[in-house]
Amino acid sequence: MTNHRIDNGRRKFLLTVAAGITRLTAGSLPVRVLAQPAGEPPLSISTIGAGREGGALGALFVKAGHRMMFSSRHPDTLKGLVDELGPLARVGTVAEAVEFGDVVMEAVPYTAMEQIGRDYGNTLAKKVLVIDVSNPIARRDGAGIVKWVDEHGGAGLATAKFLGAHTVRAFNAIGSAKLSTDAHRQGELVGVPIAGDDAHAMDIASSLIREIGFEPVVIGGLAMGKYLVPGTPLGGEHTADEIRQIATNLH
Ligand SMILES: NC(=O)c1ccc[n+]([C@@H]2O[C@H](COP(=O)([O-])OP(=O)(O)OC[C@H]3O[C@@H](n4cnc5c(N)ncnc54)[C@H](OP(=O)(O)O)[C@@H]3O)[C@@H](O)[C@H]2O)c1
């Protein structure tokens, strides 16, 4: 996009600094504060898939102050959504979203993953973070895809084949209808189990999750992404302590 001229080297540096400081401060400071040039959100985030889940998560990132591109193969259908969200939100094609985001979120039916990987995998692999919200679901995507994913180590490792090593699985089993009321919940926050192999990507994902009002809980590397799908013990909503407890029995 023409109004998104980012100095990628500087941004990469800022993100590296942000992640480093985030580690030093036990993750208590949001990336937005650490990396933000005065008056400008530090991250441009895009979503491939702006349906129920991608749309709801994208709205939370906008509320947290990030620039957000919602994409569709039919971008006109998203005008109402971004009009409601204000100037930080914009609409693009899938190709524009892939270019726009420092962080790209994937919230598509798993059947779309192979094609997205084929068309955009090289570019996505260079992103600091690709958040994989997508799930292989037999009744929707077909038993063949679920079998293929299982044979390739589960959803985390399988997705990384298409989207690259900076993939982090997150938000896979929190229903779209609950996201806005769960965010910044009173009392104990809702925990978000995450799995990924790249430490920098995991740091950024953790900061973003805190910013939008949830508590990230690292479950392990991408191999543990197989548990971040609906129907596993981690499915549904749990506090961070409950997630840690459940995860002790998962390997
Ligand atoms: N809904 C939930 O509560 C929930 C919770 C956690 C995780 N998830 C997971 O999130 C993913 C999306 O679920 P959803 O409920 O949000 O589905 P949805 O409402 O049907 O939205 C799917 C989105 O995917 C896009 N899409 C489909 N094929 C595409 C392709 N080939 N290239 C680019 N974009 C494509 C569609 O965009 P177009 O406008 O181009 O058609 C649409 O915006 C699924 O894998 C689901 O398992 C959902």
Side-chain angles (χ1 to χ4, degrees), residues 52-160:
R52 284 163 293 186
E53 190 76 359
L57 278 169
L60 294 181
F61 288 129
V62 169
K63 282 183 192 151
H66 294 284
R67 292 189 291 195
M68 184 77 213
M69 180 179 282
F70 296 83
S71 77
S72 169
R73 294 164 297 174
H74 317 284
D76 285 350
T77 60
L78 297 177
K79 278 192 167 307
L81 172 71
V82 300
D83 285 350
E84 272 177 31
L85 290 172
L88 288 175
R90 67 189 74 185
V91 172
T93 63
V94 178
E96 286 169 337
V98 169
E99 287 303 319
F100 177 85
D102 302 310
V103 171
V104 178
M105 183 165 68
E106 295 274 334
V108 296
Y110 213 89
T111 42
M113 203 63 87
E114 184 175 9
Q115 174 249 309
I116 290 169
R118 194 172 51 242
D119 293 349
Y120 306 110
N122 287 343
T123 308
L124 291 172
K126 295 180 195 131
K127 301 292 173 181
V128 290
L129 167 64
V130 178
I131 305 173
D132 176 25
V133 182
S134 310
N135 296 309
I137 306 278
R139 71 174 180 283
R140 182 192 61 207
D141 303 321
I145 286 199
V146 174
K147 183 166 177 279
W148 184 90
V149 168
D150 287 347
E151 287 168 356
H152 287 80
L157 292 169
T159 299

Side-chain angles (χ1 to χ4, degrees), residues 185 188-193 214-217 219 234 237-247:
R185 182 174 81 174
E188 267 191 278
L189 293 174
V190 175
V192 175
F214 294 84
E215 188 166 348
V217 183
I219 296 304
L234 287 172
E237 296 191 4
H238 307 279
T239 65
D241 282 344
E242 288 167 349
I243 290 170
R244 287 186 200 101
Q245 183 59 41
I246 296 167

Side-chain angles (χ1 to χ4, degrees), residues 167-179:
T167 297
V168 171
R169 279 185 72 71
F171 289 106
N172 307 89
I174 298 183
S176 58
K178 296 274 287 168
L179 282 167

